[in-house]
Every structure is written in C-alpha cells, then in structure tokens.
Amino acid sequence: MNFPNEVTVVEVGPRDGLQNESKHVETADKIRMIEALGKTGLKRIEVTSFVSPKWIPQLADGLDVINGLHLPDDVRMLALVPNLKGLESAQKGHLKEVAFFLSATESHSKKNINKSVDEAVTTLKEVATVAKSAGLKLRCYVSVVFVCPYEGKVAPAQVAKVVSQLLAIGVDEISLGDTIGAATPLDVKNVVSLLSKEVGVNNLALHFHDTRGTALANVLAGLDLGVSTFDSSIGGLGGCPYAPGAAGNLATEDLVYMLNGMGIKTGIDLEKLVDAGELVQNLLGKKLPGRYLQAALAARSKV
Ligand code: HMG
Ligand code: MG
C-alpha cells in the first residue's frame, strides 16, 4: 500500500449538512458552528451555497453567514454556486474559492439543477470565465459518480466523458461524489484509476456519503491510489435533498481518527473536532451519526 503522507480534509458540513436539515438554524448558530470548525486546524471549509432559495431555503442566508464569520487567515472558505447569479453572490462575500456542481447522469442533473448535463457544462463555462478572471479557485463536484438513485450503476466511461469536459474548461479540482453512499472500494478503484490518468491524482478529491457504511473503506481505496483530498462533514451531517436515500457525509472525526492512526498528517485536532461536533448536536437538538464523536462524548461523560 502506497499512502500519501498528508491529506487535506475539506469540511462540507455547513453546506452539505445544513442544506438537508429540516430544523431552522439561525444565522448566528451557523456562524458559531463554522467558527468552531475553524479552530480545529481544518484549512478548507465549505460554508454555504448560493443556489436558489426556493430549492434550498436552509442556506438562503449565505451572505450574512460569510459576512459574520471570523476565521483564522489560513482557513479558506468556499461556497457552492450553480450559475453566474450564485457566483456574483459569492463574490460579494469576497471568497477565494467557489465550487460548481453537475451530475454524471441526466436524471440526477434534471432533478438537482433542472438542467441537462450539457446545459450544466455550458453554465460552468460561463462561471469559469468569470471566476478565472477574478482570480478565484474553481472546484467542481461531479455527483452520482458511482450509482445514481434514478439510473442505477454508472459506467466509469460516462464519468470520464463528463470529467474530460471539466478539464477542458480548466477547473482546478474535481471532487467525485458518491451522492447516495452506494460505492464500494472496487468501484472507487475502477473510477479513480481510469480518471487519474487524465486528471492527475493531485487534482482529484473524493466525496463520500456514508449511507451504507462503506465510506471509510472507500477512503482507503482512494488513498491507495494516491488521492490526498477528501470531503467530510462534522458528525456525519448531510445528504442531498434531490437524491432520495442519501444520508450524511462521511464524518470528519471518523476520517481524521483513521488517518491519524495510519500516521497520515491532517493538521486537525481531533478533540477540537469533538467540541465542534458537540456544539452542532446542541444547535440541532439531535445526536449526529458520527461514530468517533459518539464514542468520544460517551467517554467524556464518564470522566
Ligand atoms: P430553475 O428553477 O430551474 O431556474 O433553477 P432559474 O434559473 O430560472 O431560476 C429560478 C429562480 O431562482 C429565479 O427567481 C432565479 O432568479 C432564482 P424568480 O425569478 O423565480 O424569483 N435563482 C437564484 N437565486 C439565488 N441564487 C442563485 C439563483 N439561480 C437562480 N444562484 C437552479 C435552477 C440551478 C438555480 C436550481 O435548480 C437550484 O438552485 N438547484 C440547487 C439544488 C441544490 O443546491 N442541490 C444540493 C447541492 S448539490 C449536492 O449536494 C451534491 C454534492 O454534495 C456532491 C455529491 O454529494 O454528489 C455537491
Ligand atoms: Mg454531497
């Protein structure tokens, strides 16, 4: 096994997590959550999205969240944008990085953004032109890379076709999404080994949801192929409202615990992650699914 020495964790809980919560979370509480995450050593945090508030009302206060945040200088915020309108809002927040998103299948694309994959690529070109001229870093998620809730198993060649268009547009990083948490390590191997020839493994990130308990095993498969950027969310919060059956993302604490144990550096303080996870549980008034979080909180309550 040939693992990287260091891994970058991209925390997506404030966006991927909160977009899926039915409980209303006050702007001030989102700020407390993100600031707690900013104290853990995480260097990249996806803080909100600038999508239609009719589609995702939970994140309609994105600009207020960003304007209220005080984060260490070395923490890079990013926000999800679906089009130029979203990019304009992100620019008002003086972000240095934005993330576009599209799907590997037509059905998920239609349900999630009401566009075909080709239409989404056209929109990405517009977004990329403006983002690049403004000096912004541009990440792009590809959703339903392994399994689509509407079309089933996705052929790696179909993903490669979408990815080659993203490369031609010049995105800086491609995050491959197991949107409904259905991939297994063999799926990861098949897709990543095909794509990394074209993309270069340093420009790939993996974004696992943990619906079926395979997320950490999938991280291991990714590490073995040299991937060194992984998305996760505090406490395992999350889901995609337009992908039935999508549960939370891989929990950040579970990921960091495993990486620590393997001697792979993240720069993240696990105890501070637990503090952040506990805060999020209190804000949402419910237990989060993260396993390390629950074990650590149980141990703390016995001391
Ligand atoms: P649309 O309804 O097809 O069409 O939305 P539209 O472009 O004509 O816009 C309709 C209305 O929304 C208009 O307002 C626009 O101005 C407004 P109205 O005239 O009706 O008052 N609008 C906006 N408002 C604010 N910000 C914007 C914006 N754009 C339009 N940026 C659209 C198309 C793409 C906007 C919509 O479908 C949408 O917002 N979809 C987002 C869905 C979403 O956020 N899904 C979850 C994120 S993806 C995910 O979770 C997967 C990921 O985690 C990776 C993985 O796990 O796979 C990233
Ligand atoms: Mg996701």
Side-chain angles (χ1 to χ4, degrees), residues 12 15-16 19 46 49-56 80-87 89 100-102 108-115 141-145 175-180 207-209 231 239-242 249:
V12 296
R15 193 279 303 170
D16 209 348
Q19 75 182 10
E46 193 167 70
S49 66
F50 292 107
V51 300
S52 163
K54 288 188 186 139
W55 286 60
I56 307 281
L80 198 67
V81 300
N83 51 24
L84 280 177
K85 189 171 173 134
L87 180 62
S89 303
F100 190 81
F101 57 109
L102 42 64
H108 184 261
S109 187
K110 257 308 198 220
K111 295 270 187 201
N112 198 36
I113 53 171
N114 198 24
K115 287 187 174 74
Y141 292 96
V142 185
S143 286
V144 297
V145 157
S175 177
L176 303 173
D178 182 18
T179 315
I180 58 164
H207 176 108
F208 296 119
H209 287 255
D231 303 349
C240 175
Y242 297 101
N249 296 78

Side-chain angles (χ1 to χ4, degrees), residues 6-188:
E6 265 181 63
V7 152
T8 301
V9 177
V10 181
E11 168 63 45
V12 296
R15 193 279 303 170
D16 209 348
L18 293 184
Q19 75 182 10
N20 215 36
E21 283 301 312
S22 47
K23 183 178 187 293
H24 174 75
V25 183
E26 297 292 338
T27 306
D29 288 339
K30 292 176 183 170
I31 292 171
R32 283 173 69 200
M33 170 184 178
I34 298 164
E35 289 182 349
L37 291 165
K39 290 185 182 136
T40 63
L42 279 158
K43 294 287 178 280
R44 292 174 73 189
I45 306 178
E46 193 167 70
V47 292
T48 192
S49 66
F50 292 107
V51 300
S52 163
K54 288 188 186 139
W55 286 60
I56 307 281
Q58 292 91 332
L59 301 182
D61 59 351
L63 206 50
D64 293 335
V65 170
I66 290 174
N67 287 336
L69 276 171
H70 294 96
L71 290 172
D73 289 343
D74 59 352
V75 177
R76 194 159 90 215
M77 292 189 263
L78 57 147
L80 198 67
V81 300
N83 51 24
L84 280 177
K85 189 171 173 134
L87 180 62
E88 275 164 27
S89 303
Q91 285 182 293
K92 285 188 198 139
H94 304 291
L95 294 187
K96 298 202 171 66
E97 178 173 4
V98 291
F100 190 81
F101 57 109
L102 42 64
S103 307
T105 69
E106 292 299 336
S107 320
H108 184 261
S109 187
K110 257 308 198 220
K111 295 270 187 201
N112 198 36
I113 53 171
N114 198 24
K115 287 187 174 74
S116 68
V117 177
D118 278 351
E119 285 167 339
V121 169
T122 303
T123 307
L124 171 62
K125 281 183 194 149
E126 297 164 9
V127 167
T129 306
V130 178
K132 294 262 157 202
S133 66
L136 295 174
K137 283 230 169 280
L138 179 59
R139 158 180 261 228
C140 186
Y141 292 96
V142 185
S143 286
V144 297
V145 157
F146 306 99
V147 182
C148 171
Y150 310 105
E151 297 185 22
K153 207 122 177 119
V154 179
Q158 188 172 334
V159 180
K161 198 174 143 213
V162 174
V163 163
S164 65
Q165 297 182 78
L166 306 186
L167 288 177
I169 292 169
V171 304
D172 296 300
E173 180 179 71
I174 297 173
S175 177
L176 303 173
D178 182 18
T179 315
I180 58 164
T184 66
L186 187 60
D187 298 322
V188 175

